[in-house]
Amino acid sequence: MYYNDNTIVFLDGQWLKANDAKGSLFSQTLHYGSGVFEGIRSYDANGEAMIFKAEEHYERLLYSARKMHIKCDYSVEELTNHSYELLRKNDLKNAYIRPLLYLGENMTLHTVDKVHLMLCGWEWGKYLGDSLLNVMVSSYERPNPKAVPVEAKVTGHYTNSILATTEAKAKGFDEALLLDRNGSVAEGSGANFFFEKEGVLYTPPLGNILPGITRLTAMDIAGEMGIEVREEYFPPEVVKGADGAFFTGTAAEIAGIGYLDGSPFKLDWKDTIGYKISERYKELVRKPSNKRQLTELKWN
Ligand code: PMP
């Protein structure tokens, strides 16, 4: 599914067949989870591949790398250009692009100078599907931001996401909603969270979540529609029985939620603000001029 005999990947400056590209079993990333990555989508915009917010994603990649003391010799512009080249070489338009910065051979816990860059892409449907999601409040919390930089997209953080998703699936749910260490709602395993009550959208503030690029896009769309968005901490009890809720993420796009812990949301999905945002999002990502539009994320 991710590659076949013809798939080309970028590895350390070379374009190679995926079947011929090799990584070391002694990579520090493989053993200890210190690597950084991105998840980016390109869309067919009037017959041309257009990467949605490529610069924002690569700025976040470089930010994540700095947080993890991982050196990256590539600029945002180079990474963006290589991504377009990757799409061309693999004849992809609607695609998911996965850049990964992973470390060289080192079995100690010291930072590693040798860093590898891998870029690959494949066609991927909407990550959480198109049906309304049946979500459970996870028994797993998001990682403590004083233990790891939660706002960086670090490979090792995803052990937490895998545990939460596995628990949710085992209990018959589609997805997990994770709380922070204070019991407030944080985010999904791979997506940010919003809920709607009396015409206002609520989403957790930055601090315990990945600052999602889709989250910000949804907030911008809400702003364009004159809808107020409040960034607040709230417990899951406040969400249950609200008017509507949805996840946002590059892979998931805007995914409507039907139930939280079995309790349904009041409005039909098609009558929610979330639905309107999802419709606008679908248009926006396929617009030929979607570079650097709307709010920009600042990475310090
Ligand atoms: N939170 C987590 C934990 C994620 O993995 C993702 C996906 N990158 C998101 C939120 C959404 O971020 P974005 O909208 O930038 O894809």
Side-chain angles (χ1 to χ4, degrees), residues 130-178:
D130 275 318
S131 315
L132 287 189
L133 300 167
N134 185 11
V135 173
M136 71 171 274
V137 175
S138 184
S139 72
Y140 294 97
E141 287 176 2
R142 286 302 282 164
N144 183 335
K146 287 192 174 161
V148 286
V150 288
E151 73 283 12
K153 203 164 165 64
V154 178
T155 56
H157 293 1
Y158 285 79
T159 53
N160 172 252
S161 301
I162 289 171
L163 287 168
T165 306
T166 307
E167 177 190 49
K169 294 268 182 205
K171 293 193 168 167
F173 292 88
D174 299 313
E175 191 28 338
L177 180 64
L178 291 87

mmCIF file of all heavy atoms in Angstrom, residues 130-178:
data_model
loop_
_atom_site.group_PDB
_atom_site.id
_atom_site.type_symbol
_atom_site.label_atom_id
_atom_site.label_comp_id
_atom_site.label_asym_id
_atom_site.label_seq_id
_atom_site.Cartn_x
_atom_site.Cartn_y
_atom_site.Cartn_z
ATOM 1 N N ASP A 130 -15.177 8.496 6.438
ATOM 2 C CA ASP A 130 -16.183 9.538 6.185
ATOM 3 C C ASP A 130 -17.378 9.454 7.123
ATOM 4 O O ASP A 130 -18.192 10.368 7.167
ATOM 5 C CB ASP A 130 -16.682 9.431 4.728
ATOM 6 C CG ASP A 130 -15.763 10.182 3.788
ATOM 7 O OD1 ASP A 130 -15.341 11.300 4.146
ATOM 8 O OD2 ASP A 130 -15.432 9.642 2.717
ATOM 9 N N SER A 131 -17.491 8.342 7.870
ATOM 10 C CA SER A 131 -18.668 8.205 8.742
ATOM 11 C C SER A 131 -18.422 8.942 10.052
ATOM 12 O O SER A 131 -17.272 9.145 10.460
ATOM 13 C CB SER A 131 -18.914 6.737 9.077
ATOM 14 O OG SER A 131 -18.797 5.967 7.931
ATOM 15 N N LEU A 132 -19.509 9.290 10.717
ATOM 16 C CA LEU A 132 -19.377 9.957 12.021
ATOM 17 C C LEU A 132 -18.704 9.014 13.012
ATOM 18 O O LEU A 132 -18.989 7.815 13.035
ATOM 19 C CB LEU A 132 -20.754 10.357 12.544
ATOM 20 C CG LEU A 132 -21.417 11.534 11.846
ATOM 21 C CD1 LEU A 132 -22.664 11.948 12.603
ATOM 22 C CD2 LEU A 132 -20.460 12.718 11.735
ATOM 23 N N LEU A 133 -17.838 9.559 13.831
ATOM 24 C CA LEU A 133 -16.990 8.719 14.686
ATOM 25 C C LEU A 133 -17.615 8.465 16.054
ATOM 26 O O LEU A 133 -18.250 9.345 16.641
ATOM 27 C CB LEU A 133 -15.633 9.397 14.871
ATOM 28 C CG LEU A 133 -14.862 9.627 13.575
ATOM 29 C CD1 LEU A 133 -13.700 10.587 13.810
ATOM 30 C CD2 LEU A 133 -14.351 8.301 13.020
ATOM 31 N N ASN A 134 -17.366 7.260 16.529
ATOM 32 C CA ASN A 134 -17.786 6.847 17.854
ATOM 33 C C ASN A 134 -16.519 6.897 18.729
ATOM 34 O O ASN A 134 -15.622 6.065 18.575
ATOM 35 C CB ASN A 134 -18.339 5.419 17.719
ATOM 36 C CG ASN A 134 -18.929 4.903 18.992
ATOM 37 O OD1 ASN A 134 -19.125 5.658 19.947
ATOM 38 N ND2 ASN A 134 -19.185 3.606 19.019
ATOM 39 N N VAL A 135 -16.446 7.891 19.592
ATOM 40 C CA VAL A 135 -15.175 8.211 20.280
ATOM 41 C C VAL A 135 -15.300 7.907 21.777
ATOM 42 O O VAL A 135 -16.356 8.107 22.367
ATOM 43 C CB VAL A 135 -14.840 9.707 20.053
ATOM 44 C CG1 VAL A 135 -13.639 10.149 20.870
ATOM 45 C CG2 VAL A 135 -14.592 9.960 18.568
ATOM 46 N N MET A 136 -14.215 7.427 22.372
ATOM 47 C CA MET A 136 -14.195 7.230 23.826
ATOM 48 C C MET A 136 -13.149 8.136 24.472
ATOM 49 O O MET A 136 -12.137 8.467 23.852
ATOM 50 C CB MET A 136 -13.886 5.771 24.199
ATOM 51 C CG MET A 136 -12.459 5.341 23.928
ATOM 52 S SD MET A 136 -12.047 3.706 24.610
ATOM 53 C CE MET A 136 -11.576 4.118 26.299
ATOM 54 N N VAL A 137 -13.418 8.542 25.691
ATOM 55 C CA VAL A 137 -12.394 9.259 26.454
ATOM 56 C C VAL A 137 -11.372 8.209 26.872
ATOM 57 O O VAL A 137 -11.709 7.209 27.513
ATOM 58 C CB VAL A 137 -13.005 9.973 27.679
ATOM 59 C CG1 VAL A 137 -11.911 10.602 28.525
ATOM 60 C CG2 VAL A 137 -14.012 11.025 27.230
ATOM 61 N N SER A 138 -10.140 8.428 26.476
ATOM 62 C CA SER A 138 -9.093 7.440 26.677
ATOM 63 C C SER A 138 -8.688 7.320 28.144
ATOM 64 O O SER A 138 -8.775 8.293 28.899
ATOM 65 C CB SER A 138 -7.866 7.852 25.852
ATOM 66 O OG SER A 138 -6.872 6.884 25.947
ATOM 67 N N SER A 139 -8.211 6.150 28.515
ATOM 68 C CA SER A 139 -7.631 6.028 29.859
ATOM 69 C C SER A 139 -6.168 6.504 29.836
ATOM 70 O O SER A 139 -5.545 6.641 30.881
ATOM 71 C CB SER A 139 -7.711 4.580 30.345
ATOM 72 O OG SER A 139 -6.786 3.792 29.639
ATOM 73 N N TYR A 140 -5.646 6.762 28.624
ATOM 74 C CA TYR A 140 -4.281 7.293 28.501
ATOM 75 C C TYR A 140 -4.320 8.812 28.421
ATOM 76 O O TYR A 140 -5.109 9.361 27.666
ATOM 77 C CB TYR A 140 -3.600 6.753 27.234
ATOM 78 C CG TYR A 140 -3.374 5.271 27.299
ATOM 79 C CD1 TYR A 140 -4.283 4.390 26.709
ATOM 80 C CD2 TYR A 140 -2.277 4.747 27.960
ATOM 81 C CE1 TYR A 140 -4.090 3.020 26.779
ATOM 82 C CE2 TYR A 140 -2.077 3.375 28.039
ATOM 83 C CZ TYR A 140 -2.988 2.519 27.451
ATOM 84 O OH TYR A 140 -2.798 1.173 27.526
ATOM 85 N N GLU A 141 -3.454 9.487 29.181
ATOM 86 C CA GLU A 141 -3.320 10.947 29.074
ATOM 87 C C GLU A 141 -2.315 11.276 27.985
ATOM 88 O O GLU A 141 -1.435 10.463 27.694
ATOM 89 C CB GLU A 141 -2.744 11.517 30.380
ATOM 90 C CG GLU A 141 -3.706 11.531 31.509
ATOM 91 C CD GLU A 141 -3.043 12.022 32.796
ATOM 92 O OE1 GLU A 141 -1.844 12.393 32.794
ATOM 93 O OE2 GLU A 141 -3.736 12.016 33.815
ATOM 94 N N ARG A 142 -2.396 12.494 27.456
ATOM 95 C CA ARG A 142 -1.326 12.976 26.571
ATOM 96 C C ARG A 142 -0.059 13.121 27.417
ATOM 97 O O ARG A 142 -0.135 13.344 28.634
ATOM 98 C CB ARG A 142 -1.681 14.338 25.946
ATOM 99 C CG ARG A 142 -2.726 14.258 24.845
ATOM 100 C CD ARG A 142 -2.315 13.348 23.700
ATOM 101 N NE ARG A 142 -1.351 13.942 22.783
ATOM 102 C CZ ARG A 142 -0.638 13.237 21.901
ATOM 103 N NH1 ARG A 142 -0.745 11.917 21.834
ATOM 104 N NH2 ARG A 142 0.180 13.834 21.080
ATOM 105 N N PRO A 143 1.126 13.011 26.786
ATOM 106 C CA PRO A 143 2.369 13.126 27.562
ATOM 107 C C PRO A 143 2.473 14.484 28.266
ATOM 108 O O PRO A 143 1.984 15.490 27.768
ATOM 109 C CB PRO A 143 3.463 12.987 26.503
ATOM 110 C CG PRO A 143 2.804 12.348 25.333
ATOM 111 C CD PRO A 143 1.368 12.750 25.368
ATOM 112 N N ASN A 144 3.102 14.449 29.419
ATOM 113 C CA ASN A 144 3.328 15.666 30.203
ATOM 114 C C ASN A 144 4.294 16.593 29.444
ATOM 115 O O ASN A 144 5.398 16.184 29.108
ATOM 116 C CB ASN A 144 3.940 15.237 31.542
ATOM 117 C CG ASN A 144 4.159 16.389 32.480
ATOM 118 O OD1 ASN A 144 4.296 17.540 32.051
ATOM 119 N ND2 ASN A 144 4.187 16.084 33.756
ATOM 120 N N PRO A 145 3.885 17.836 29.170
ATOM 121 C CA PRO A 145 4.770 18.743 28.405
ATOM 122 C C PRO A 145 6.069 19.078 29.131
ATOM 123 O O PRO A 145 6.987 19.602 28.523
ATOM 124 C CB PRO A 145 3.914 19.993 28.192
ATOM 125 C CG PRO A 145 2.751 19.864 29.080
ATOM 126 C CD PRO A 145 2.593 18.427 29.488
ATOM 127 N N LYS A 146 6.146 18.748 30.432
ATOM 128 C CA LYS A 146 7.422 18.952 31.127
ATOM 129 C C LYS A 146 8.321 17.728 30.967
ATOM 130 O O LYS A 146 9.479 17.741 31.383
ATOM 131 C CB LYS A 146 7.176 19.250 32.601
ATOM 132 C CG LYS A 146 6.620 20.646 32.778
ATOM 133 C CD LYS A 146 6.636 21.069 34.210
ATOM 134 C CE LYS A 146 6.205 22.527 34.312
ATOM 135 N NZ LYS A 146 5.783 22.872 35.667
ATOM 136 N N ALA A 147 7.788 16.649 30.406
ATOM 137 C CA ALA A 147 8.603 15.455 30.173
ATOM 138 C C ALA A 147 9.133 15.429 28.738
ATOM 139 O O ALA A 147 10.281 15.053 28.497
ATOM 140 C CB ALA A 147 7.781 14.196 30.445
ATOM 141 N N VAL A 148 8.315 15.826 27.805
ATOM 142 C CA VAL A 148 8.699 15.838 26.382
ATOM 143 C C VAL A 148 8.041 17.048 25.707
ATOM 144 O O VAL A 148 7.000 17.508 26.179
ATOM 145 C CB VAL A 148 8.251 14.542 25.640
ATOM 146 C CG1 VAL A 148 9.103 13.352 26.005
ATOM 147 C CG2 VAL A 148 6.766 14.247 25.892
ATOM 148 N N PRO A 149 8.639 17.560 24.632
ATOM 149 C CA PRO A 149 8.005 18.713 23.956
ATOM 150 C C PRO A 149 6.793 18.243 23.142
ATOM 151 O O PRO A 149 6.935 17.816 22.002
ATOM 152 C CB PRO A 149 9.119 19.253 23.055
ATOM 153 C CG PRO A 149 10.012 18.090 22.800
ATOM 154 C CD PRO A 149 9.895 17.162 23.973
ATOM 155 N N VAL A 150 5.623 18.321 23.741
ATOM 156 C CA VAL A 150 4.416 17.777 23.082
ATOM 157 C C VAL A 150 4.062 18.540 21.813
ATOM 158 O O VAL A 150 3.364 18.012 20.953
ATOM 159 C CB VAL A 150 3.171 17.772 24.000
ATOM 160 C CG1 VAL A 150 3.270 16.733 25.080
ATOM 161 C CG2 VAL A 150 2.882 19.133 24.585
ATOM 162 N N GLU A 151 4.532 19.788 21.730
ATOM 163 C CA GLU A 151 4.184 20.574 20.546
ATOM 164 C C GLU A 151 5.091 20.254 19.353
ATOM 165 O O GLU A 151 4.938 20.830 18.274
ATOM 166 C CB GLU A 151 4.182 22.079 20.876
ATOM 167 C CG GLU A 151 5.535 22.712 21.065
ATOM 168 C CD GLU A 151 6.208 22.412 22.410
ATOM 169 O OE1 GLU A 151 5.743 21.515 23.167
ATOM 170 O OE2 GLU A 151 7.225 23.052 22.701
ATOM 171 N N ALA A 152 6.038 19.350 19.554
ATOM 172 C CA ALA A 152 6.892 18.900 18.448
ATOM 173 C C ALA A 152 6.363 17.546 17.960
ATOM 174 O O ALA A 152 5.811 16.768 18.741
ATOM 175 C CB ALA A 152 8.332 18.759 18.925
ATOM 176 N N LYS A 153 6.539 17.293 16.676
ATOM 177 C CA LYS A 153 6.021 16.038 16.106
ATOM 178 C C LYS A 153 7.158 15.004 16.125
ATOM 179 O O LYS A 153 7.920 14.876 15.169
ATOM 180 C CB LYS A 153 5.493 16.303 14.690
ATOM 181 C CG LYS A 153 4.469 15.292 14.229
ATOM 182 C CD LYS A 153 3.699 15.789 13.025
ATOM 183 C CE LYS A 153 2.948 14.680 12.331
ATOM 184 N NZ LYS A 153 1.898 14.043 13.111
ATOM 185 N N VAL A 154 7.250 14.328 17.249
ATOM 186 C CA VAL A 154 8.366 13.423 17.538
ATOM 187 C C VAL A 154 7.877 11.976 17.404
ATOM 188 O O VAL A 154 6.785 11.646 17.884
ATOM 189 C CB VAL A 154 8.868 13.658 18.989
ATOM 190 C CG1 VAL A 154 10.005 12.709 19.344
ATOM 191 C CG2 VAL A 154 9.287 15.112 19.171
ATOM 192 N N THR A 155 8.676 11.139 16.758
ATOM 193 C CA THR A 155 8.240 9.746 16.507
ATOM 194 C C THR A 155 7.820 9.064 17.810
ATOM 195 O O THR A 155 6.765 8.448 17.869
ATOM 196 C CB THR A 155 9.363 8.926 15.830
ATOM 197 O OG1 THR A 155 10.524 8.995 16.643
ATOM 198 C CG2 THR A 155 9.690 9.465 14.450
ATOM 199 N N GLY A 156 8.624 9.197 18.859
ATOM 200 C CA GLY A 156 8.364 8.499 20.121
ATOM 201 C C GLY A 156 7.053 8.884 20.782
ATOM 202 O O GLY A 156 6.463 8.080 21.516
ATOM 203 N N HIS A 157 6.566 10.104 20.518
ATOM 204 C CA HIS A 157 5.286 10.518 21.123
ATOM 205 C C HIS A 157 4.150 9.603 20.683
ATOM 206 O O HIS A 157 3.115 9.523 21.350
ATOM 207 C CB HIS A 157 4.881 11.931 20.702
ATOM 208 C CG HIS A 157 5.762 13.033 21.204
ATOM 209 N ND1 HIS A 157 6.868 12.827 21.978
ATOM 210 C CD2 HIS A 157 5.687 14.380 21.016
ATOM 211 C CE1 HIS A 157 7.423 13.995 22.249
ATOM 212 N NE2 HIS A 157 6.736 14.944 21.679
ATOM 213 N N TYR A 158 4.340 8.960 19.540
ATOM 214 C CA TYR A 158 3.233 8.199 18.949
ATOM 215 C C TYR A 158 3.027 6.834 19.599
ATOM 216 O O TYR A 158 2.059 6.146 19.280
ATOM 217 C CB TYR A 158 3.386 8.158 17.411
ATOM 218 C CG TYR A 158 2.988 9.531 16.887
ATOM 219 C CD1 TYR A 158 3.874 10.600 16.954
ATOM 220 C CD2 TYR A 158 1.694 9.797 16.466
ATOM 221 C CE1 TYR A 158 3.497 11.883 16.582
ATOM 222 C CE2 TYR A 158 1.304 11.069 16.086
ATOM 223 C CZ TYR A 158 2.204 12.106 16.145
ATOM 224 O OH TYR A 158 1.816 13.371 15.797
ATOM 225 N N THR A 159 3.889 6.468 20.558
ATOM 226 C CA THR A 159 3.576 5.266 21.352
ATOM 227 C C THR A 159 2.306 5.555 22.153
ATOM 228 O O THR A 159 1.445 4.697 22.302
ATOM 229 C CB THR A 159 4.735 4.916 22.310
ATOM 230 O OG1 THR A 159 5.066 6.072 23.078
ATOM 231 C CG2 THR A 159 5.963 4.459 21.551
ATOM 232 N N ASN A 160 2.191 6.786 22.651
ATOM 233 C CA ASN A 160 0.985 7.209 23.387
ATOM 234 C C ASN A 160 -0.256 7.126 22.476
ATOM 235 O O ASN A 160 -1.312 6.607 22.881
ATOM 236 C CB ASN A 160 1.225 8.643 23.892
ATOM 237 C CG ASN A 160 -0.017 9.275 24.504
ATOM 238 O OD1 ASN A 160 -0.610 10.160 23.897
ATOM 239 N ND2 ASN A 160 -0.417 8.832 25.684
ATOM 240 N N SER A 161 -0.116 7.587 21.241
ATOM 241 C CA SER A 161 -1.243 7.557 20.291
ATOM 242 C C SER A 161 -1.639 6.121 19.956
ATOM 243 O O SER A 161 -2.831 5.806 19.859
ATOM 244 C CB SER A 161 -0.864 8.285 19.003
ATOM 245 O OG SER A 161 -0.507 9.619 19.284
ATOM 246 N N ILE A 162 -0.640 5.259 19.778
ATOM 247 C CA ILE A 162 -0.933 3.860 19.414
ATOM 248 C C ILE A 162 -1.650 3.159 20.576
ATOM 249 O O ILE A 162 -2.620 2.427 20.364
ATOM 250 C CB ILE A 162 0.366 3.130 18.998
ATOM 251 C CG1 ILE A 162 0.844 3.673 17.637
ATOM 252 C CG2 ILE A 162 0.151 1.618 18.928
ATOM 253 C CD1 ILE A 162 2.221 3.196 17.209
ATOM 254 N N LEU A 163 -1.207 3.422 21.788
ATOM 255 C CA LEU A 163 -1.875 2.804 22.948
ATOM 256 C C LEU A 163 -3.337 3.255 23.039
ATOM 257 O O LEU A 163 -4.239 2.445 23.249
ATOM 258 C CB LEU A 163 -1.146 3.176 24.250
ATOM 259 C CG LEU A 163 0.198 2.472 24.454
ATOM 260 C CD1 LEU A 163 0.963 3.120 25.608
ATOM 261 C CD2 LEU A 163 -0.012 0.986 24.717
ATOM 262 N N ALA A 164 -3.564 4.545 22.848
ATOM 263 C CA ALA A 164 -4.925 5.080 22.964
ATOM 264 C C ALA A 164 -5.824 4.533 21.855
ATOM 265 O O ALA A 164 -6.976 4.157 22.101
ATOM 266 C CB ALA A 164 -4.881 6.609 22.915
ATOM 267 N N THR A 165 -5.304 4.463 20.639
ATOM 268 C CA THR A 165 -6.099 3.955 19.508
ATOM 269 C C THR A 165 -6.396 2.471 19.689
ATOM 270 O O THR A 165 -7.518 2.022 19.428
ATOM 271 C CB THR A 165 -5.332 4.178 18.186
ATOM 272 O OG1 THR A 165 -4.989 5.554 18.109
ATOM 273 C CG2 THR A 165 -6.167 3.823 16.976
ATOM 274 N N THR A 166 -5.400 1.736 20.137
ATOM 275 C CA THR A 166 -5.586 0.291 20.324
ATOM 276 C C THR A 166 -6.636 0.029 21.398
ATOM 277 O O THR A 166 -7.506 -0.832 21.230
ATOM 278 C CB THR A 166 -4.237 -0.366 20.700
ATOM 279 O OG1 THR A 166 -3.281 0.008 19.714
ATOM 280 C CG2 THR A 166 -4.345 -1.882 20.756
ATOM 281 N N GLU A 167 -6.571 0.790 22.464
ATOM 282 C CA GLU A 167 -7.573 0.640 23.528
ATOM 283 C C GLU A 167 -8.971 0.940 22.984
ATOM 284 O O GLU A 167 -9.928 0.184 23.222
ATOM 285 C CB GLU A 167 -7.260 1.610 24.681
ATOM 286 C CG GLU A 167 -8.302 1.572 25.783
ATOM 287 C CD GLU A 167 -8.136 2.688 26.815
ATOM 288 O OE1 GLU A 167 -7.995 3.872 26.424
ATOM 289 O OE2 GLU A 167 -8.144 2.382 28.011
ATOM 290 N N ALA A 168 -9.096 2.058 22.236
ATOM 291 C CA ALA A 168 -10.409 2.462 21.709
ATOM 292 C C ALA A 168 -10.964 1.382 20.779
ATOM 293 O O ALA A 168 -12.121 0.982 20.888
ATOM 294 C CB ALA A 168 -10.294 3.801 20.989
ATOM 295 N N LYS A 169 -10.127 0.879 19.875
ATOM 296 C CA LYS A 169 -10.578 -0.146 18.905
ATOM 297 C C LYS A 169 -10.982 -1.424 19.648
ATOM 298 O O LYS A 169 -11.985 -2.045 19.314
ATOM 299 C CB LYS A 169 -9.468 -0.477 17.907
ATOM 300 C CG LYS A 169 -9.124 0.688 16.999
ATOM 301 C CD LYS A 169 -9.930 0.650 15.729
ATOM 302 C CE LYS A 169 -9.525 1.790 14.812
ATOM 303 N NZ LYS A 169 -10.529 2.205 13.880
ATOM 304 N N ALA A 170 -10.186 -1.794 20.648
ATOM 305 C CA ALA A 170 -10.471 -3.033 21.391
ATOM 306 C C ALA A 170 -11.812 -2.926 22.109
ATOM 307 O O ALA A 170 -12.488 -3.932 22.326
ATOM 308 C CB ALA A 170 -9.351 -3.318 22.389
ATOM 309 N N LYS A 171 -12.204 -1.713 22.456
ATOM 310 C CA LYS A 171 -13.488 -1.530 23.159
ATOM 311 C C LYS A 171 -14.627 -1.230 22.199
ATOM 312 O O LYS A 171 -15.728 -0.873 22.631
ATOM 313 C CB LYS A 171 -13.348 -0.400 24.185
ATOM 314 C CG LYS A 171 -12.402 -0.795 25.317
ATOM 315 C CD LYS A 171 -12.486 0.139 26.487
ATOM 316 C CE LYS A 171 -11.765 -0.482 27.671
ATOM 317 N NZ LYS A 171 -11.517 0.421 28.749
ATOM 318 N N GLY A 172 -14.359 -1.315 20.892
ATOM 319 C CA GLY A 172 -15.426 -1.140 19.904
ATOM 320 C C GLY A 172 -15.644 0.300 19.469
ATOM 321 O O GLY A 172 -16.636 0.602 18.810
ATOM 322 N N PHE A 173 -14.729 1.197 19.824
ATOM 323 C CA PHE A 173 -14.844 2.595 19.388
ATOM 324 C C PHE A 173 -13.984 2.807 18.136
ATOM 325 O O PHE A 173 -13.157 1.966 17.795
ATOM 326 C CB PHE A 173 -14.367 3.542 20.495
ATOM 327 C CG PHE A 173 -15.266 3.546 21.706
ATOM 328 C CD1 PHE A 173 -15.077 2.631 22.742
ATOM 329 C CD2 PHE A 173 -16.305 4.462 21.820
ATOM 330 C CE1 PHE A 173 -15.903 2.624 23.855
ATOM 331 C CE2 PHE A 173 -17.135 4.470 22.933
ATOM 332 C CZ PHE A 173 -16.941 3.549 23.959
ATOM 333 N N ASP A 174 -14.191 3.973 17.498
ATOM 334 C CA ASP A 174 -13.387 4.292 16.311
ATOM 335 C C ASP A 174 -12.111 5.031 16.683
ATOM 336 O O ASP A 174 -11.101 4.924 16.012
ATOM 337 C CB ASP A 174 -14.172 5.224 15.359
ATOM 338 C CG ASP A 174 -15.445 4.594 14.876
ATOM 339 O OD1 ASP A 174 -15.399 3.426 14.460
ATOM 340 O OD2 ASP A 174 -16.505 5.273 14.929
ATOM 341 N N GLU A 175 -12.189 5.845 17.722
ATOM 342 C CA GLU A 175 -11.056 6.732 18.011
ATOM 343 C C GLU A 175 -11.090 7.135 19.491
ATOM 344 O O GLU A 175 -12.116 7.004 20.172
ATOM 345 C CB GLU A 175 -11.169 7.944 17.073
ATOM 346 C CG GLU A 175 -10.058 8.925 16.922
ATOM 347 C CD GLU A 175 -8.620 8.536 17.128
ATOM 348 O OE1 GLU A 175 -8.278 7.541 17.807
ATOM 349 O OE2 GLU A 175 -7.774 9.288 16.660
ATOM 350 N N ALA A 176 -9.948 7.626 19.961
ATOM 351 C CA ALA A 176 -9.792 8.024 21.367
ATOM 352 C C ALA A 176 -9.698 9.541 21.481
ATOM 353 O O ALA A 176 -9.187 10.209 20.581
ATOM 354 C CB ALA A 176 -8.514 7.396 21.918
ATOM 355 N N LEU A 177 -10.206 10.052 22.598
ATOM 356 C CA LEU A 177 -10.007 11.455 22.946
ATOM 357 C C LEU A 177 -9.189 11.457 24.234
ATOM 358 O O LEU A 177 -9.623 10.885 25.246
ATOM 359 C CB LEU A 177 -11.366 12.145 23.151
ATOM 360 C CG LEU A 177 -11.307 13.620 23.528
ATOM 361 C CD1 LEU A 177 -10.676 14.453 22.403
ATOM 362 C CD2 LEU A 177 -12.705 14.168 23.818
ATOM 363 N N LEU A 178 -8.014 12.074 24.180
ATOM 364 C CA LEU A 178 -7.107 12.017 25.329
ATOM 365 C C LEU A 178 -7.183 13.299 26.153
ATOM 366 O O LEU A 178 -7.324 14.394 25.601
ATOM 367 C CB LEU A 178 -5.665 11.795 24.866
ATOM 368 C CG LEU A 178 -5.378 10.413 24.274
ATOM 369 C CD1 LEU A 178 -5.674 10.378 22.787
ATOM 370 C CD2 LEU A 178 -3.930 10.027 24.507
#
